[in-house]
Amino acid sequence: MQTSSPSARTAFDAIVIGGGLVGAAIGYGLQRQGLDTLLLDEGDIAHRASRGNFGLIWVQSKGLGAPHYQRWTRGSASEWPALAEDLQARTGIDTRRQQPGGVTFCLGEEEFERRSEYMAQMQAEAGNFGFEYRMIRAAEARDMLPGIGPEVTGISWTPYDGHASPLHLLRALHEGFTGLGGSYLPNAGVADSTAAPNDFSVHAAGRRFTAPRVVLAAGLGNAALAPRFGLSSPVVPERGQILVTERAQTLLPMPTVSLRQTAEGSLMIGDSKENAGLDTVTQSPEIMRSMARRAVRCFPWIADLNVVRAWSALRVMAPDGLPIYDQSEQFPGAFTANCHSGVTLAGTHANRLAPMIAAGALDPELSLFSARRFDVPATA
Ligand SMILES: Cc1cc2nc3c(=O)[nH]c(=O)nc-3n(C[C@H](O)[C@H](O)[C@H](O)COP(=O)(O)OP(=O)(O)OC[C@H]3O[C@@H](n4cnc5c(N)ncnc54)[C@H](O)[C@@H]3O)c2cc1C
């Protein structure tokens, strides 16, 4: 990853803490807005969801009961083409973005019924904003997705979904950021800080840096950082495991929520969810087995492919699973950004959230994402 050292400079327009997908997208957006930005990033000991994720730009299951999240996610999917083009033009890096739509498989009649209700409710909640989808029976789905197995009763489909290479995206954001003059400092965990309205000082890598704006984008690290800036980021880890097969000829024309084919031909199998604390070392064979089994029930030909890699990584999860965006009331100029969909939301983070932060205020549409939603009245 390209490193642009802040050399002897210590004063910036903005400091972003955390160089994962969220911090890099916001830093890139801030730098594009003309803010001289410093991106501070901890070392390899950190839990970095951005280097272990599945790579979906996923819309169709996001925001049931939270139409603002559905709109924000859809907005990001629609920003993605411009972001990918912009990154490619500036850095030459192809994020491997494809947005051909996506599907969720239903195995058995009960799953099909449940999914139908889910999608109908998503559409009802979308209101005038609209939500295009289809529930498609197996006979027709076979024409769209050759090779699906006999246990598949049908699929849900929306045109909004897609996928990209998360590592190419991360690299492109970093190179785009430094190419625009942004300063990236790795191995710089923020150990200490002081906060005053529009006046922040952070201590990292043995140096002190100042700026009138600070953005907390440190993933799971935000939980500890936020209170120092008058913010709250009650995020906890949720472990996900991923299996990768050997490369195959192109067989999957679009991603599913738990299966996608990379541009290089590997199949990625994922979507497990576990509470395992901060453990990313121990694998759960029974979970891997059930992920692989479901993939084979969807596409029996997958059974002939060898699994060549497996890993687990930690999602950055708020109590209700939605993102958290806030500006500190106590220390205006301090912002926090937390989410478990850093690939999907890269479009809005770079193209919409960063300009709001540069302008010094979050749009009212983001007020529902404030951590204040978790405040519980002291007495009834
Ligand atoms: C298994 C799995 C599958 C996923 N699949 C998808 C998917 O298909 N689509 C999708 O959109 N999202 C997916 N995600 C989620 C996505 O990866 C995360 O939303 C995203 O990576 C979060 O990015 P982040 O920058 O907030 O956090 P991280 O990637 O964890 O980065 C945080 C950064 O902050 C730094 N840091 C921490 N503390 C400090 C500190 N005190 N000082 C300085 N730096 C600090 C760390 O070094 C790290 O680089 C998946 C996640 C997992 C685990």
Side-chain angles (χ1 to χ4, degrees):
M1 194 163 286
Q2 188 177 329
T3 299
S4 164
S5 166
S7 59
R9 286 190 310 126
T10 56
F12 293 85
D13 296 332
I15 297 171
V16 178
I17 304 176
L21 282 169
V22 174
I26 294 171
Y28 176 66
L30 289 177
Q31 198 64 39
R32 235 176 17 186
Q33 292 288 306
L35 267 69
D36 181 20
T37 302
L38 171 65
L39 187 54
L40 295 172
D41 206 5
E42 208 177 16
D44 283 337
I45 50 159
H47 301 288
R48 294 192 280 197
S50 302
R51 289 164 198 239
N53 74 66
F54 196 60
L56 291 176
I57 301 168
W58 202 247
V59 175
Q60 68 170 270
S61 312
K62 302 275 176 67
L64 188 72
H68 57 293
Y69 182 35
Q70 193 189 136
R71 279 196 297 279
W72 184 245
T73 304
R74 279 266 294 286
S76 196
S78 67
E79 295 286 354
W80 244 101
L83 176 66
E85 271 171 37
D86 185 38
L87 287 171
Q88 181 143 23
R90 287 182 198 277
T91 67
I93 297 171
D94 177 359
T95 57
R96 318 292 208 258
R97 177 196 73 90
Q98 289 181 17
Q99 289 176 269
V103 301
T104 299
F105 276 92
C106 306
L107 301 177
E109 218 34 63
E110 198 185 319
E111 279 191 20
F112 191 83
E113 287 313 313
R114 253 190 287 132
R115 190 70 189 162
S116 303
E117 282 168 28
Y118 188 100
M119 299 300 273
Q121 206 175 327
M122 287 284 284
Q123 189 176 56
E125 289 180 5
N128 292 338
F129 187 63
F131 179 75
E132 189 185 343
Y133 80 97
R134 286 186 63 208
M135 294 300 304
I136 300 172
R137 284 287 177 182
E140 187 183 344
R142 257 182 208 105
D143 294 336
M144 290 169 69
L145 299 158
I148 60 177
E151 288 187 70
V152 176
T153 39
I155 57 172
S156 64
W157 166 89
T158 63
Y160 314 113
D161 307 297
H163 55 151
S165 159
L167 294 180
H168 284 81
L169 170 63
L170 185 61
R171 183 144 176 260
L173 288 168
H174 273 263
E175 291 212 2
F177 172 73
T178 52
L180 284 162
S183 302
Y184 176 62
L185 192 58
N187 304 313
V190 170
D192 184 25
S193 58
T194 60
N198 300 304
D199 182 11
F200 302 97
S201 165
V202 298
H203 193 254
R207 295 166 61 187
R208 191 159 281 283
F209 301 98
T210 60
R213 277 186 193 75
V214 65
V215 183
L216 311 185
L220 291 169
N222 271 355
L225 285 171
R228 297 193 209 166
F229 296 87
L231 289 158
S232 167
S233 294
V235 287
V236 294
E238 181 191 80
R239 188 165 76 171
Q241 305 204 36
I242 290 178
L243 303 175
V244 184
T245 72
E246 62 187 316
R247 292 175 183 183
Q249 65 185 95
T250 305
L251 294 162
L252 274 188
M254 63 183 76
T256 86
V257 72
S258 57
L259 191 63
R260 77 176 188 95
Q261 188 165 24
T262 67
E264 294 77 19
S266 301
L267 287 162
M268 292 180 71
I269 303 169
D271 203 31
S272 68
K273 296 177 176 70
E274 288 168 90
N275 180 356
L278 296 174
D279 182 2
T280 52
V281 176
T282 324
Q283 303 289 329
S284 316
E286 69 286 359
I287 287 181
M288 289 197 257
R289 205 174 300 125
S290 83
M291 285 160 53
R293 252 193 214 130
R294 188 168 173 97
V296 169
R297 289 170 73 198
C298 295
F299 290 104
W301 50 264
I302 289 178
D304 294 332
L305 296 173
N306 288 309
V307 169
V308 294
R309 275 190 298 149
W311 68 76
S312 60
L314 303 175
R315 296 187 185 87
V316 179
M317 200 55 86
D320 59 2
L322 270 56
I324 300 171
Y325 306 113
D326 255 329
Q327 174 164 206
S328 173
E329 287 178 352
Q330 192 181 1
F331 305 118
F335 297 84
T336 184
N338 316 259
C339 78
H340 72 87
S341 296
V343 181
T344 307
L345 295 177
T348 39
H349 288 162
N351 291 1
R352 297 190 191 177
L353 181 61
M356 293 180 209
I357 293 171
L362 300 183
D363 285 358
E365 64 162 326
L366 289 193
S367 62
L368 290 171
F369 290 111
S370 166
R372 285 186 289 279
R373 68 186 186 267
F374 304 120
D375 291 348
V376 179
T379 50

